[in-house]
Amino acid sequence: MSNIKVFFKNFTAGRKALFKRMVIYLGSALAVFEAANIFLEDGSVAQWCESVSLGGISLKSLFTNVFVYLGAGVIIALLRQSSFAHYCMNIVGTDVKIEISMSDIFSNRGEIVIPCNTTFSGRKEVIGGRSIQTQMTERILLPKEESISAGSNDVLFEQTVAEALMRPECQARRLPGQKELAGKLYDIYEYGTMVPVSFPVDGKPRNVILLAVAEMLEPDKPKTDGQHLMKSIDDMWEQIAKCRIREQTLVVPILGTGSAGITDKPQQTVARYILRTFADNAARLGIRKLVLSVYPQDYLDNKINLEELRCYADYLCRFPDSDFNIN
């Protein structure tokens, strides 16, 4: 049902672009129609087209019917309208791309950033059932013989993350003290701590980056604010610049705006900040494509203005600030 709602909203939100596209395609259709008629003035070509038929209708009849061309123009324009929710463009002068994709985040190819809390807990009774992290944990699918030995998905998540957190770069961001959540003590890490791990999501190995963007006040009560969120995003780019990622495509959701309860920064602002800081740092990150993943329901609830976001991304790609670098 959500996909149907998105489809019809695309027609409404992008109606100006649709009408412009209609004019362009209908004009092109008429030009092709005129060219076809000139082509058919050749007697041998006309005779051959008359002898070939599709469904009892000769090719000549099709090629000389203006409504065939106009209909094709309208259909192509309507099909192109479904791409309103998708944007992809190179940053000028580079082979780095920015893409905006409205879909299930796990349907995108590349390394996925998963927003987490500063304890990196993976138990559902702690993190709740609404976050991207919970969605991923529920979609971890191991072969039957491995799943028996691994236990629940929550256990597998916490074991995998605990091992990854032992890396020196993670331990350097560990804070004093511990936090008790649902009867278990967890170490606490700085906002922006980044933990690269891999999980079999939907039965396929996926590289993911767990990024601490919120503090877990109590079970199912994460909290962040604009200052900490922006710091987390900045820290993510710094860590990627130093360590690189395992794939050339990075998929990033609109961080900190779901179950984390951020109130002082609207989702549109956070989305623009992710795009802007990536464009500013693109030359040193080693990433070939950034995919900003938009949750369809946020679009339907008018929390995200796709047209504005596309225009902003287009501006960043066409006029990068790197043009002003003098060093």
Side-chain angles (χ1 to χ4, degrees), residues 162-181:
E163 293 174 5
L165 284 169
M166 295 306 296
R167 293 162 31 158
E169 56 268 32
C170 294
Q171 288 299 305
R173 301 179 67 95
R174 181 181 168 185
L175 299 174
Q178 291 183 310
K179 178 78 173 181
E180 182 179 348
L181 294 166

Side-chain angles (χ1 to χ4, degrees), residues 135-189:
Q135 294 175 42
M136 182 193 70
T137 305
E138 291 177 343
R139 293 169 69 163
I140 292 176
L141 185 61
L142 290 169
K144 188 175 181 180
E145 60 277 6
E146 292 185 29
S147 61
I148 295 174
S149 60
S152 70
N153 287 1
D154 292 0
V155 172
L156 174 62
F157 178 93
E158 293 209 334
Q159 288 176 345
T160 303
V161 174
E163 293 174 5
L165 284 169
M166 295 306 296
R167 293 162 31 158
E169 56 268 32
C170 294
Q171 288 299 305
R173 301 179 67 95
R174 181 181 168 185
L175 299 174
Q178 291 183 310
K179 178 78 173 181
E180 182 179 348
L181 294 166
K184 182 178 178 180
L185 288 175
Y186 291 91
D187 293 332
I188 308 169
Y189 295 83

Side-chain angles (χ1 to χ4, degrees), residues 35-56:
N37 276 281
I38 293 172
F39 186 67
L40 287 172
E41 288 179 0
D42 186 299
S44 59
V45 173
Q47 186 177 2
W48 180 82
C49 289
E50 188 72 47
S51 64
V52 178
S53 63
L54 295 173

Side-chain angles (χ1 to χ4, degrees), residues 60-90:
K60 184 178 180 181
S61 298
L62 291 174
F63 289 158
T64 55
N65 189 330
V66 68
F67 293 105
V68 171
Y69 295 87
L70 294 178
V74 170
I75 291 171
I76 294 172
L78 291 174
L79 291 175
R80 283 291 308 277
Q81 182 68 0
S82 64
S83 68
F84 174 78
H86 182 267
Y87 169 92
C88 187
M89 187 173 180
N90 278 69

